[in-house]
Each structure stands twice: as C-alpha cells, then as structure tokens.
Amino acid sequence: MQIVDYRPDLATAFRTLNEAWITQLFTLEAKDVETLADPGARIIAPGGKIVFVVDGGDAVGCCALMAMADGGFEVAKMAVADSHKGRGLGRLLMAACIERARAAGAKRLYLETNSGLAPALGLYRSFGFAVIEPAEPSPYARADVVMELWL
C-alpha cells in the first residue's frame, strides 16, 4: 500500500469512497454532491490537497485538505473502503495530511464530524485534535462536533 497525491484519474474513486460511507450512515447533502462532483475544481484548484491510499492499483482510502482563509486546512472527506477497514489506513491518511499541511506552512487543521463516529473521533484525538466551539454553523446537518489541531 502506498500514499499518493490527487491525480484527475482518482476523482471517481474519491467520489465513490465518500458516497459509500456517507450513504451508509447519513444522507448526501448539497455540499457533498458539489464537492464530490469535481474535487479538482472544489478542493485542488483553491489550494487544497487530497491524499489516497492505493493498494494494488486501487484507491482504498482518501482524505482531503481544503484550504481555509486563515492559511490552515479543513480535514474533510476521509474515507476507507469497507474491505480495508481495521488496517490503520485512517492513521496513514491523517499522518499524510498533517505532513502535507506542515509542508505548506499551515498552522492549524480544522474538521467537522459527528459524535456517533467513535473510531474517527478516537483517531482525531490520538493526533491531538481538540473539540472547539464552532465559529459559525456548519453547512452539514450531520456535523455536531468541531475539532482543531494547532501545528
């Protein structure tokens, strides 16, 4: 397995991986549809990044860093294929995101998640993310936890 950065040929995998977990647990929302339809334009072009875990040529996990106005990044759209859960891929993805954020000079990572996603919350806490009060309402109905990590 290897970590690779976004390439246009991985856009479909990004959409498929995220649609799978979101529709299993929640409902696709307008912002999901917009972002997943064109990650190159919605995430990469404004200065963001997407990393993938590739196994045997197939993308089996992904995570995005969406550029924020304060120079930080929002960690978003982290997904791991059901076939590869429990193998530490979330940890690999988060480590790659933190590495790329630091290399870009970011001082902060921000994320929105759901209180029912215990494994994700545990992962974020293990990297030092702390719960904060949101500065503004989330565009996602499912987001009821906001966290940040100072780099």
Side-chain angles (χ1 to χ4, degrees), residues 7-70:
R7 304 182 312 251
D9 65 301
L10 293 171
T12 299
F14 182 72
R15 185 185 73 243
T16 302
L17 286 163
N18 277 287
E19 285 178 349
W21 83 263
I22 294 168
T23 58
Q24 280 177 5
L25 301 169
F26 304 102
T27 301
L28 278 176
E29 299 182 46
K31 185 144 171 88
D32 295 315
V33 173
E34 175 185 299
T35 303
L36 296 174
D38 193 352
R42 300 290 179 189
I43 298 170
I44 302 299
K49 303 170 186 319
I50 304 173
V51 293
F52 293 85
V53 176
V54 175
D55 183 14
D58 295 323
V60 295
C62 60
C63 189
L65 290 173
M66 299 179 74
M68 297 178 66
D70 68 2

Side-chain angles (χ1 to χ4, degrees), residues 97-112:
C97 284
I98 290 171
E99 174 186 304
R100 282 157 178 75
R102 283 187 173 134
K107 301 292 184 223
R108 177 177 86 111
L109 292 179
Y110 168 94
L111 64 85
E112 298 177 357

